[in-house]
Every structure is written in structure tokens, then in C-alpha cells.
Amino acid sequence: MKMKYLLLIFIVNACGTADPRFLSKNFYFSEEKTVNVGDAMISVEAGIKTVFLYLTEINAIRQELIYGGIDHNVIQVDYREYEINKRGTFIRDAYRQSMKYDLNETHTIKYRTITIDVVSANSSSITFIVRSFGINPEYNGVQWDNK
């Protein structure tokens, strides 16, 4: 009887979880965050993680907003999107864009469904608060904390 339970536990662990979807992000809503030039202000990765025995396969998309610096109170932000699969991580060329925002006009950055309030920015770093990510608190059906 004990052997049957051990075998059942092994099979359940080997086959993975019932919900293989995952989401990770590098920010919390309404919290101040500071990043340096070239670093991701926002990075969100969502996808499916399949585990079979001891092999793991991930199919996901990572979206990033990257701080590009400031010139005459105009900040540059780059959007990049990556595809992650068993072959590696690849930038999706059709999903890249550079934007400029004039802080003399507004301190709020809006791109697609993302809203960010800029607290301060200089040539080496930016401090900001993420106000919304559009489809929060649920992203592709995966729940996340809404801190």
C-alpha cells in the first residue's frame, strides 16, 4: 500500500502541475522604483511551462520598457518583446519601438495599456511609479498580486 502512494506521488510530480501557466514581473503597482539607463523599467513574462519527468519546456513572451536616458527634459523609453522557447530567447523585431516623452508637458508615460508616473529622471537613472498595466490584475488568465 505504501509503495502505491509513493508511485502516485512520483507520477504526479513527474507530470507537472495542473495549471502550467505562469507570470512574472519586476514591479509592484503604486510603489516607487528606480532603474539605471539601459535597465528594464517594466518586465513582464507570461507563458506556459510544461514539465515531463525531469524535462522542462517553456513557451513565453517577455515584454520590457527600457529607460534610454534624458536629453533636455525629454526621456527616451524603448519597448522590446522577446519570444522564449526551447531554442532560447529571441527578440521579436516587429515588436520593438522607441518613444520620447517630454517631461515639460507631462510626467505621465502612457504606452499601450501601461501608465507610469515619472517622479524624477536624470542622465543616469529614472524613478517612477507604475499606475496600471492595463489588463491587471489578470494577465492571460494568470492571477498576480496587485500590490
Side-chain angles (χ1 to χ4, degrees), residues 53-68:
L53 295 176
Y54 293 101
L55 302 173
T56 301
E57 185 175 315
I58 295 176
N59 290 299
I61 298 291
R62 180 185 314 137
Q63 299 172 310
E64 294 180 338
L65 283 182
I66 299 172
Y67 181 55

Side-chain angles (χ1 to χ4, degrees), residues 65 77-80 93-99 111-112:
L65 283 182
V77 177
D78 296 319
Y79 172 80
R80 294 184 190 154
D93 286 333
Y95 297 93
R96 289 196 307 191
Q97 187 174 0
S98 292
M99 293 85 55
Y111 179 73
R112 292 187 177 182

